Amino acid sequence: MAEKKEHVIEMSHRLNLMRSEKFCTNELKVLDKYMSRINPRDKSTRKVVFTLKEFQKDLGINDLRYKTLRTNVEALLGRCVFLPNSETGEFIAFQLFKEVELKKDSTKGWIVTLDCHDRAVDLFFDLAKDGYFSRKLKYSMRLNSANQIKFYMLMKEYEGVGKKKIRLTELIDWLKVNPNMPWKYFKRDVVDICQKALTELTDVTFTYECKRNGHAYEYITFFIKPNHHEQMMLDDYEDDENIQAEVLETEETVSEAYKYSNENLEFLAEACDNSFSEDEMQIIFSIIVKKIPSHKEWLERYDYLLLKYKELKYRISRTDLPPIKSKFNYFRFMLESDVKEE
């Protein structure tokens, strides 16, 4: 089989310092694909073209509704980065992307053009100012969470050094996880999961140690090295992607029968591929308002349901586990378990 072209991302150290609470997994993948297609030494390449189908897939959009695309585009354009200066206490914040254009091309069909914000041009194209590091697009596209992608960025940045010591509070802030999370849960649910994912799915791996200062952990040190024993080859990954795409197409066909009388309920149902009836969505809504009670946080509720529904689809795809008898009952159990944990 012919070797596939490996797209390389050249990322500035400044951009990797970005802090953002809002970037979800799929938006980070769009960012990575954007960086893999620009020439960071030529600012005229700042506009990157996606096919509509590709753009929707990268954003995790499983239906072709204009409203769904618009909602996701608005979210992407609203994502800001926060670049702090730890020495002076100063910071600057701005959007990474300023424009998404959807149009029909005479030869390519529907295409999406993505352009970075004028204020962000130096982050993408002035690599000499603060230096940069390289990584391969295919590895970040394999990862399943924003934390895993951010860990991959961090490990690749310091792979050449082989070691990175960082304050635990700084790492938690960078990942945007709950700052009050006890160390044992942060270790189990974040660090160890990311360590396993990077070892199995990427070209870098790490070990770590965390030392106490009194009763509290203060610093964590990562020991980083190249991973020469990937457990999942790219061809296998793409085969899995094709299988998942077939499953999604089947689910979308089935879900077309459901209609919703309430616009807000319809919006949330799109996060679940419209797979549940109106009565079932009412039950789902009654659960998630306990987790996200503010009536203004509809997008947060949407993102939460989108993430949980992806977890459900992954569970359904597991052939090594017993099949799920009721998709709705299992999903309700997942949501209720989240609420109980809080």
Side-chain angles (χ1 to χ4, degrees), residues 189-284:
D189 298 337
V190 180
V191 182
D192 289 348
I193 288 177
C194 291
Q195 181 187 44
K196 183 176 185 293
L198 265 61
T199 300
E200 293 181 350
L201 302 176
T202 76
D203 58 346
V204 69
T205 186
F206 68 89
T207 56
Y208 65 92
E209 64 179 21
C210 195
K211 294 186 176 180
R212 292 178 183 268
N213 182 5
H215 294 290
Y217 288 98
E218 185 174 6
Y219 286 94
I220 185 168
T221 303
F222 296 103
F223 303 95
I224 310 158
K225 61 181 181 180
N227 182 17
H228 300 298
H229 303 286
E230 299 169 51
Q231 298 179 20
M232 184 177 185
M233 301 306 294
L234 181 59
D235 290 344
D236 295 334
Y237 171 74
E238 291 185 339
D239 287 342
D240 286 349
E241 285 281 280
N242 292 334
I243 292 171
Q244 285 294 96
E246 292 175 3
V247 171
L248 290 178
E249 288 177 5
T250 302
E251 290 183 349
E252 286 169 8
T253 302
V254 172
S255 68
E256 287 178 356
Y258 292 126
K259 304 295 181 183
Y260 307 95
S261 58
N262 182 293
E263 184 177 7
N264 290 329
L265 207 62
E266 180 182 6
F267 175 68
L268 294 178
E270 289 179 1
C272 306
D273 291 347
N274 300 307
S275 296
F276 303 114
S277 68
E278 179 157 356
D279 289 341
E280 290 170 336
M281 282 305 304
Q282 290 285 5
I283 294 172
I284 289 171

Side-chain angles (χ1 to χ4, degrees), residues 151-212:
F151 254 88
Y152 181 58
M153 292 176 180
L154 183 65
M155 296 306 132
K156 290 301 290 184
E157 182 173 13
Y158 292 95
E159 181 183 16
V161 180
K163 182 179 179 180
K164 172 61 178 175
K165 183 178 181 180
I166 186 172
R167 284 185 180 274
L168 196 56
T169 53
E170 183 180 350
L171 179 64
I172 288 172
D173 179 57
W174 185 61
L175 295 173
K176 291 302 176 187
V177 298
N178 184 353
N180 298 316
M181 182 185 293
W183 161 250
K184 67 176 182 178
Y185 297 121
F186 179 70
K187 175 184 184 300
R188 182 194 68 187
D189 298 337
V190 180
V191 182
D192 289 348
I193 288 177
C194 291
Q195 181 187 44
K196 183 176 185 293
L198 265 61
T199 300
E200 293 181 350
L201 302 176
T202 76
D203 58 346
V204 69
T205 186
F206 68 89
T207 56
Y208 65 92
E209 64 179 21
C210 195
K211 294 186 176 180
R212 292 178 183 268

Side-chain angles (χ1 to χ4, degrees), residues 21-80:
E21 296 183 18
K22 297 296 185 180
F23 275 95
C24 68
T25 307
N26 293 101
E27 289 165 347
L28 286 174
K29 289 183 178 182
V30 169
L31 171 62
D32 271 3
K33 188 164 283 189
Y34 176 86
M35 288 190 290
S36 75
R37 292 185 177 178
I38 62 173
N39 178 349
R41 295 159 188 83
D42 181 2
K43 294 180 181 179
S44 68
T45 64
R46 60 184 280 180
K47 291 188 176 183
V48 171
V49 176
F50 299 75
T51 65
L52 176 58
K53 184 177 180 180
E54 173 192 23
F55 189 70
Q56 289 176 313
K57 178 182 176 183
D58 291 340
L59 274 180
I61 303 173
N62 298 323
D63 67 69
L64 302 180
R65 296 188 186 188
Y66 179 83
K67 179 182 176 182
T68 305
L69 177 61
R70 177 178 171 178
T71 299
N72 282 267
V73 166
E74 288 176 349
L76 179 64
L77 291 180
R79 302 315 189 210
C80 292

Side-chain angles (χ1 to χ4, degrees), residues 71-119:
T71 299
N72 282 267
V73 166
E74 288 176 349
L76 179 64
L77 291 180
R79 302 315 189 210
C80 292
V81 293
F82 179 89
L83 300 175
N85 186 323
S86 58
E87 296 180 358
T88 65
E90 300 171 330
F91 70 85
I92 185 169
F94 50 84
Q95 295 160 286
L96 268 188
F97 297 109
K98 73 170 185 179
E99 183 177 282
V100 174
E101 181 183 14
L102 171 66
K103 66 179 181 180
K104 194 168 186 179
D105 184 83
S106 58
T107 57
K108 298 179 181 178
W110 287 100
I111 60 172
V112 175
T113 303
L114 181 62
D115 188 11
C116 68
H117 195 282
D118 295 343
R119 187 63 185 81

